[in-house]
Amino acid sequence: MQAGMLSIEAKMAKLLPCDHIDTESQIWKELPSFKSCDYDKLVEYKDYVKISESRRSFVLDDVELGNDYVLTSVKFIYENGFNKLAARGHKFDFMNGTIDTTQEIWVVSANCCWKNETSRILPTILKSIRTMAAKKNETIVQFVKLMTSSSETDVGQSVVPFIHKVPVVPKHLLPLSGVGLIHTSNKKSAGYLALKIIGYDFEPQISKPPFYKS
């Protein structure tokens, strides 16, 4: 975090043919240096999202790009009263291990609306968690609202859930086709908000010639 700005830092690597990754090419994408005085140079909603009393709800959802694209960028956006993940993907050539920088898409968490606060039993400490449904397919998704910690156990001096800062990495390097936001907790803790990554599903590719012969 720099000057009150929380950022998502990503590691990049070179794609190789047939789902392989050049492990020697791994680098962290450098974040720009940021100071409080730089806020005047930024555009709200485009360059950053401000968290406030009325803008503190985060959608817990997966954003998937499908098998024609690989994940190349992630950011938070504010839409319809909720902070959501947005994922950028570029067209992916599995056989050659290349992306087409002229073909990109942005996919955002489901367009959701308030539905039912009591459709899931939750620990008492997590009263800020609610459920909602997508307008189109009525799929239930959840969101969590940031709040002050318990006045009894923490004198209300923290904002919870906390942010999990441990790097999220796959066991074996592979292209990514999506990202998600999850919440982990137990009955005695407000828990953490954390990112999850979704690996590229290469099974449809290897079931085609020349990998497979009937």
Side-chain angles (χ1 to χ4, degrees):
M1 178 179 287
Q2 299 184 65
M5 182 78 74
L6 183 66
S7 303
I8 300 174
E9 190 172 6
K11 180 180 283 189
M12 303 182 300
K14 182 180 179 180
L15 291 169
L16 297 175
C18 303
D19 202 42
H20 289 84
I21 301 289
D22 181 0
T23 58
E24 299 297 323
S25 68
Q26 295 181 81
I27 58 170
W28 285 99
K29 182 175 176 58
E30 185 177 355
L31 294 174
S33 179
F34 183 79
K35 300 179 181 179
S36 299
C37 59
D38 294 329
Y39 274 106
D40 293 338
K41 304 175 185 178
L42 303 178
V43 179
E44 189 174 1
Y45 299 117
K46 178 183 178 182
D47 299 318
Y48 70 96
V49 175
K50 184 182 293 184
I51 298 175
S52 64
E53 176 68 22
S54 60
R55 304 175 187 174
R56 54 193 174 111
S57 298
F58 286 79
V59 172
L60 305 177
D61 194 15
D62 292 342
V63 184
E64 299 188 61
L65 301 170
N67 252 37
D68 291 329
Y69 294 83
V70 289
L71 184 69
T72 54
S73 183
V74 179
K75 68 178 181 179
F76 279 103
I77 67 167
Y78 182 77
E79 183 180 72
N80 298 330
F82 299 97
N83 294 295
K84 304 178 179 182
L85 279 176
R88 181 178 69 170
H90 281 89
K91 193 77 171 181
F92 180 48
D93 185 325
F94 174 83
M95 290 297 297
N96 294 314
T98 58
I99 61 174
D100 186 344
T101 57
T102 66
Q103 296 190 57
E104 71 169 44
I105 58 171
W106 278 97
V107 179
V108 182
S109 294
N111 185 20
C112 301
C113 60
W114 176 270
K115 185 179 182 182
N116 184 2
E117 178 179 337
T118 59
S119 61
R120 180 185 173 200
I121 299 175
L122 297 161
T124 303
I125 197 170
L126 299 178
K127 290 181 179 178
S128 62
I129 293 185
R130 302 289 185 264
T131 59
M132 57 189 174
K135 291 180 179 179
K136 293 183 179 180
N137 56 20
E138 294 300 307
T139 299
I140 298 297
V141 294
Q142 292 186 311
F143 69 91
V144 62
K145 182 177 290 186
L146 300 184
M147 59 187 295
T148 55
S149 55
S150 169
S151 58
E152 298 177 356
T153 60
D154 193 44
V155 202
Q157 62 182 342
S158 302
V159 175
V160 293
F162 299 109
I163 305 298
H164 203 278
K165 294 179 62 178
V166 175
V168 182
V169 295
K171 186 175 182 179
H172 301 288
L173 291 181
L174 77 166
L176 302 179
S177 64
V179 65
L181 186 67
I182 62 174
H183 176 260
T184 60
S185 67
N186 56 46
K187 292 183 178 181
K188 296 182 179 180
S189 169
Y192 296 85
L193 282 176
L195 292 175
K196 63 176 284 189
I197 52 177
I198 301 170
Y200 181 83
D201 181 12
F202 54 85
E203 190 279 331
Q205 301 289 346
I206 62 176
S207 64
K208 300 176 183 178
F211 293 96
Y212 175 78
K213 294 182 180 180
S214 59

